[in-house]
Amino acid sequence: MSCAGLVPVMALAERAGMSQLVAEKVEITNAPIPSTGANPAGKIAAIVAGMVAGADCIDDLDVIRHGGMKRLFSGVYAPSTLGSFLRSFTHGHVLQLTAVLRAMLATLAMTTPVLAGAEQMTYVDIDSLLRRVYGKKKRGARFGPAKVGGYSLLLRGLSPLVATISTPLAAPLIAAMRLRGGNAGSARGAAGLLAEALNTAKASGARGMILVRADSAYYAGTVVSAARRAAARFSITVTGNSAIQAAIATIPDDAWIPVRYPGAVEDPDTGKLISDAEVAETVYTAFAGTSHEVTARLVVRRVKDQNHTDVLFPVWRYHAFLTDTALSTVEADLTHRRHAVVETTFADLIDGPLAHLPSGHFDANAAWAVCAAISHNLLRATGSTASIFHTTARGATLRRHLVCVPARLARPQGREILHLPGYWPWADAFAGLHDAATRPPPAA
């Protein structure tokens, strides 16, 4: 068998109650063919297992039937069966599956060190991406903005909205995910999704400060109010307008503090790398005259415009964000810029199960996206259980080191034994993972 690592991974999933949660929360009674909606727990487990092993489309789910996999696991389904099952989903069923995602993440956080440090500081990052599709008959596929090679283009696709939770010690986990049409505005549905993510973060052990971070696409009163209702702090990039420019103009010249970034960062306007800047702050009232009015700190970062280096006085470009944290000006700027960590989650999803949105049915793709989020969280829990190195490793590394491991299945005296490779660099990490995942849970 080629994916022996699925043994401890799926054991972790069962310890987190995945099958029980699906059986309790997902009920498909109106499928066009009744048999396609039967046994959702087994079918969701098969889809997640295939995604963990590297499947990025429905046909790729056949990876769980190769070699001795059917002898080792029960409830192994054919890709055609799983595809029909996904096509039986409606919007309500997708919401049921999303509830499984949230509950399972809370259990994983309690039974594994996947969210270490949440009792002190937790970050909730919200962002969206556009997954390009090519079939004109895909439901929900619309033209939306995307960047390719640094250029803004309109591409036909579908737009997942994602909220992640992370800590200074833990890599991002997906707390909430929603698939939208390709032409959806970035902030559409963001307030509701953020409220779900904040509730999930608290259920997952976030007892310290929770900080919501987002870019300017989510600078909206509803988003800020959703964070404040949950007693969370916020740090959101503001959109440039005359009121913001007037507030920046009130900052005295001697208030600017030099800040040097630990690594070069990309300038959002020019695409060039910068390593130093100056920061300052003032007080600003956002969304004045509305029910979402809030007065908070406007932290401003300025960098020299490289297009005007030959003038007598420097020309500055300004980038500002609104925050209500008590961090120093420099630390608030550094913390806000770490919002880019959400891009590592997008990279893992694109390099894995979200390489494609495989169905022509919108709700089937929405269910596929939620299963991708479950598999992402399960991989992160696998890495955090295996070793310190794998705690923050990329998804492709986790699959290569811990999941896609060849083994020979033997059954001496009816007892199943996996013979793994000798002289294997990650044998100790795998052994620790296997022992932790298959050890009986402690008595209540």
Side-chain angles (χ1 to χ4, degrees):
M1 55 187 301
S2 61
C3 296
L6 285 179
V7 173
V9 171
M10 298 311 293
L12 276 180
E14 291 310 305
R15 285 173 69 96
M18 181 174 69
S19 295
Q20 181 179 356
L21 287 169
V22 175
E24 292 174 353
K25 298 180 180 296
V26 180
E27 183 179 2
I28 301 177
T29 58
N30 57 346
I33 303 175
S35 61
T36 60
N39 190 23
K43 292 174 181 176
I44 290 296
I47 293 171
V48 170
M51 289 178 169
V52 169
D56 63 11
C57 64
I58 293 175
D59 285 344
D60 278 357
L61 295 175
D62 199 40
V63 67
I64 62 175
R65 302 201 303 166
H66 289 174
M69 299 289 287
K70 295 178 69 174
R71 295 176 57 192
L72 188 60
F73 293 98
S74 59
V76 177
Y77 291 89
S80 58
T81 302
L82 299 176
S84 298
F85 169 69
L86 289 171
R87 288 189 291 274
S88 68
F89 270 68
T90 64
H91 177 66
H93 298 133
V94 175
L95 295 181
Q96 294 172 358
L97 190 57
T98 303
V100 174
L101 165 68
R102 297 196 299 268
M104 186 176 170
L105 175 56
T107 306
L108 283 174
M110 298 303 174
T111 56
T112 69
V114 70
L115 206 57
E119 66 279 358
Q120 298 177 355
M121 183 71 186
T122 304
Y123 303 112
V124 176
D125 297 288
I126 186 168
D127 208 343
S128 63
L129 69 158
L130 183 75
R131 293 305 299 133
R132 188 177 188 180
V133 299
Y134 296 90
K136 296 182 179 179
K137 296 183 179 180
K138 278 186 182 285
R139 297 175 185 173
R142 299 290 187 272
F143 283 95
K147 279 192 175 182
V148 177
Y151 295 95
S152 296
L153 302 172
L154 287 178
L155 300 177
R156 180 187 288 111
L158 296 168
S159 175
L161 180 65
V162 180
T164 67
I165 56 178
S166 60
T167 73
L169 302 176
L173 301 161
I174 298 177
M177 191 171 194
R178 185 177 302 166
L179 189 66
R180 310 171 302 172
N183 61 346
S186 295
R188 195 180 81 182
L193 191 83
L194 178 60
E196 292 180 12
L198 290 170
N199 290 334
T200 304
K202 293 177 181 179
S204 301
R207 294 183 293 274
M209 187 177 83
I210 302 176
L211 177 61
V212 176
R213 300 182 298 193
D215 59 29
S216 59
Y218 304 92
Y219 178 62
T222 54
V223 174
V224 173
S225 294
R228 299 181 71 194
R229 280 194 300 270
R233 304 289 185 175
F234 60 85
S235 180
I236 303 177
T237 304
V238 302
T239 53
N241 54 42
S242 58
I244 295 295
Q245 293 172 2
I248 295 174
T250 63
I251 300 176
D253 291 338
D254 58 357
W256 295 96
I257 304 171
V259 55
R260 186 167 184 84
Y261 300 110
V265 297
E266 182 178 330
D267 189 300
D269 290 337
T270 64
K272 296 182 179 179
L273 296 178
I274 59 174
S275 59
D276 55 3
E278 293 181 350
V279 294
E281 66 174 90
T282 186
V283 177
Y284 181 73
T285 299
F287 318 116
T290 71
S291 59
H292 307 292
E293 181 175 319
V294 58
T295 300
R297 302 163 62 195
L298 184 71
V299 179
V300 186
R301 182 184 71 257
R302 70 178 186 179
V303 295
K304 292 181 180 179
D305 192 337
Q306 298 301 316
N307 296 320
H308 302 85
T309 58
D310 55 345
V311 296
L312 182 60
F313 299 101
V315 177
W316 300 95
R317 287 184 294 104
Y318 298 89
H319 308 276
F321 62 92
L322 192 72
T323 183
D324 63 345
T325 64
L327 301 173
S328 67
T329 306
V330 172
E331 191 60 33
D333 178 64
L334 293 173
T335 301
H336 179 75
R337 292 198 67 89
R338 295 190 189 108
H339 163 67
V341 73
V342 72
E343 298 294 340
T344 63
T345 301
F346 291 166
D348 282 344
L349 291 173
I350 294 171
D351 193 30
L354 277 194
H356 305 95
L357 288 164
S359 179
H361 294 251
F362 181 84
D363 291 321
N365 286 327
W368 178 272
V370 178
C371 288
I374 294 174
S375 69
H376 172 84
N377 293 343
L378 193 54
L379 264 181
R380 292 259 63 96
T382 299
S384 66
T385 306
S387 70
I388 296 177
F389 167 77
H390 291 101
T391 297
T392 55
R394 292 288 301 275
T397 301
L398 295 175
R399 281 192 291 271
R400 185 172 64 253
H401 288 189
L402 303 174
V403 179
C404 299
V405 183
R408 181 171 58 87
L409 175 63
R411 286 181 173 177
Q413 300 177 345
R415 181 185 178 189
E416 294 178 342
I417 295 179
L418 288 174
H419 295 276
L420 296 166
Y423 305 102
W424 179 27
W426 307 287
D428 292 341
F430 185 91
L433 166 65
H434 185 275
D435 291 345
T438 57
R439 186 187 307 123

